[in-house]
Amino acid sequence: MKIQTLALSTALLLAGTAHAVEFNQVDAAKSSLAFSSKQMGVPVPGSFKRFTTQIAFDPAKPTAASTTLEIDLASIDAGSKDANDEVVGKQWFNVKAFPTAKFVSTGVKALGGNRFEAIGKMTIKGQTRDVVAPFTFKQDGASGVFDGGFVLKRMEYNIGEGPWADVSAVANEIEIKFHVVANAAKK
Amino acid sequence: MNTTSPRYSGPAIAAHWLIAALILVAFPLGVYMHDLPLSPNKLKLYSYHKWIGITVLLLFVPRILWRITHRPPAPLPMPAWQHKIAEGTHHLLYLLMFLVPLTGWLMSSAKGFQVVYFGVLPLPDLIGKSEELGDLFKEVHEALNWGLLVLVGLHVAGALKHVIIDKDGTLRRMLPFGK
């Protein structure tokens, strides 16, 4: 009886100390935001060099987690100089009128194990759409590593208008992949 | 028994005209497309050009194996220097039939665009992405193509000379529907 109580309180204590951490200090240098488009069936990798992420994630209380992501669209690397010049233009991101894209989470679901799902709203080029992004969480010392992605349909945001609306040349589906490293801060 | 000179073999004739037709499409396409502003149309033309080039490369393999294992008909009587030029042109044409598509493939790999044959079959990248190598292979691909143009010109001029001046059966031996 005594031993059981001790074990239970120890377990609670350990659980308390182990999980009384929230990963909320994003390490921008170690984080990346990549994507892959398909041009005539050819996968073309790209990335955004500048973006800011806020994360508050406690693995013990994942449903209380929240995140926002703001992307500086002009920092795009779409695979070639020609493409980079093109995609900031009016028919694509129109960065003069819409310099940033934004994701704001409305909830996080635990899917079991180290898998989770961020649910939220993505705004690009004045269009806001619901997004569900599955991700994994891995604790690496004092850091939390988030890896995930989702498929964005570019036409839902009018990314690529006029002749570029031809999805047989550039596919509608763009694979987004994020890798975010956030350090823990004591609550 | 007919006494006309022997013709090239069926596979040799088929490969010759098929590859000639592909080159005849890919070459002007390449000249036209490379200066276009970026557009879905440009992406499509580039893909068609690459698919044709890979097809030439694929046809080249059985063609050269056939050529090595099957002797072509002996040349009709002509001065030795003409025969030398004809043979040299043929050898260089074979070389460029291989090198032109190969440098195109290398250029595509270096520029960071994998070749996906007919949009469904991804071919391995021959080299990693590199701006310098991409520009280098673009130059080489272009230069070899001008060489190819000169050789094809020589080849056609030679064939026409046999028809118009010599009036011999040289060209007829390679025609798809002749005797």
Side-chain angles (χ1 to χ4, degrees):
Chain A
M1 189 70 166
K2 231 181 175 179
I3 286 174
Q4 273 172 348
T5 320
L6 187 67
L8 186 66
S9 53
T10 311
L12 280 173
L13 191 70
L14 280 174
T17 49
H19 293 296
V21 281
E22 189 181 65
F23 295 90
N24 56 17
Q25 309 291 312
V26 172
D27 187 338
K30 287 183 185 160
S31 304
S32 61
L33 183 59
F35 62 88
S36 175
S37 67
K38 267 205 166 158
Q39 302 174 12
M40 294 299 290
V42 180
V44 181
S47 62
F48 289 97
K49 302 288 171 222
R50 289 189 301 275
F51 56 93
T52 49
T53 325
Q54 269 108 46
I55 280 187
F57 184 88
D58 178 349
K61 282 186 289 176
T63 49
S66 69
T67 179
T68 63
L69 165 69
E70 197 168 312
I71 307 163
D72 178 354
L73 294 173
S75 75
I76 192 169
D77 177 2
S80 69
K81 197 194 166 293
D82 271 3
N84 292 349
D85 293 344
E86 179 67 28
V87 293
V88 294
K90 254 193 159 159
Q91 293 182 323
W92 290 93
F93 285 117
N94 194 5
V95 296
K96 276 198 187 124
F98 305 99
T100 59
K102 200 164 185 179
F103 173 78
V104 180
S105 70
T106 52
V108 172
K109 253 199 230 166
L111 300 179
N114 64 344
R115 297 184 309 119
F116 302 89
E117 202 171 73
I119 301 144
K121 300 214 174 281
M122 183 74 143
T123 305
I124 308 172
K125 217 178 170 183
Q127 308 292 317
T128 301
R129 298 282 180 269
D130 289 323
V131 161
V132 177
F135 67 89
T136 60
F137 169 79
K138 210 179 76 205
Q139 198 169 333
D140 181 13
S143 304
V145 182
F146 303 84
D147 272 296
F150 63 98
V151 172
L152 179 148
K153 292 199 168 134
R154 66 182 182 93
M155 296 315 294
E156 289 182 354
Y157 302 87
N158 301 328
I159 305 169
E161 295 177 67
W164 289 112
D166 178 358
V167 292
S168 74
V170 180
N172 193 10
E173 293 79 15
I174 310 284
E175 264 183 62
I176 315 283
K177 279 211 159 64
F178 54 83
H179 173 80
V180 177
V181 176
N183 295 319
K186 284 258 156 58
K187 266 198 217 173
Chain B
M1 228 359 230
N2 82 45
T3 52
T4 53
S5 58
R7 289 165 51 72
Y8 279 86
S9 62
I13 294 174
H16 171 269
W17 291 104
L18 192 54
I19 290 178
L22 292 171
I23 291 174
L24 225 56
V25 176
F27 183 92
L29 187 55
V31 173
Y32 168 72
M33 72 187 192
H34 86 280
D35 265 345
L36 290 176
L38 191 57
S39 71
N41 195 43
K42 183 177 189 173
L43 295 180
K44 286 179 186 178
L45 295 181
Y46 262 78
S47 292
Y48 303 156
H49 177 86
K50 291 176 190 182
W51 301 345
I52 296 172
I54 294 298
T55 308
V56 170
L57 201 54
L58 287 175
L59 288 171
F60 174 79
V61 177
R63 183 178 186 188
I64 200 74
L65 289 176
W66 185 267
R67 172 66 182 77
I68 290 166
T69 54
H70 298 75
R71 290 213 64 77
L76 296 179
M78 67 176 99
W81 66 271
Q82 285 182 18
H83 181 234
K84 272 216 172 83
I85 291 181
E87 209 172 55
T89 306
H90 290 158
H91 288 158
L92 287 174
L93 278 169
Y94 280 124
L95 187 66
L96 290 190
M97 236 175 277
F98 172 69
L99 287 183
V100 167
L102 183 71
T103 51
W105 188 355
L106 282 162
M107 166 184 166
S108 195
S109 297
K111 296 252 178 201
F113 292 92
Q114 192 182 12
V115 179
V116 180
Y117 198 36
F118 294 119
V120 289
L121 182 69
L123 304 184
D125 279 325
L126 299 177
I127 45 173
K129 189 173 175 178
S130 149
E131 214 179 308
E132 292 99 73
L133 286 180
D135 291 340
L136 174 72
F137 281 114
K138 179 181 186 285
E139 297 297 326
V140 175
H141 187 63
E142 245 179 73
L144 290 178
N145 267 290
W146 294 123
L148 181 63
L149 184 70
V150 170
L151 289 169
V152 168
L154 262 175
H155 183 63
V156 171
L160 290 177
K161 175 204 164 271
H162 282 287
V163 173
I164 297 165
I165 298 171
D166 302 331
K167 297 189 172 59
D168 62 14
T170 298
L171 177 64
R172 208 166 56 232
R173 306 182 309 165
M174 190 43 115
L175 290 180
F177 314 104
K179 277 195 202 164

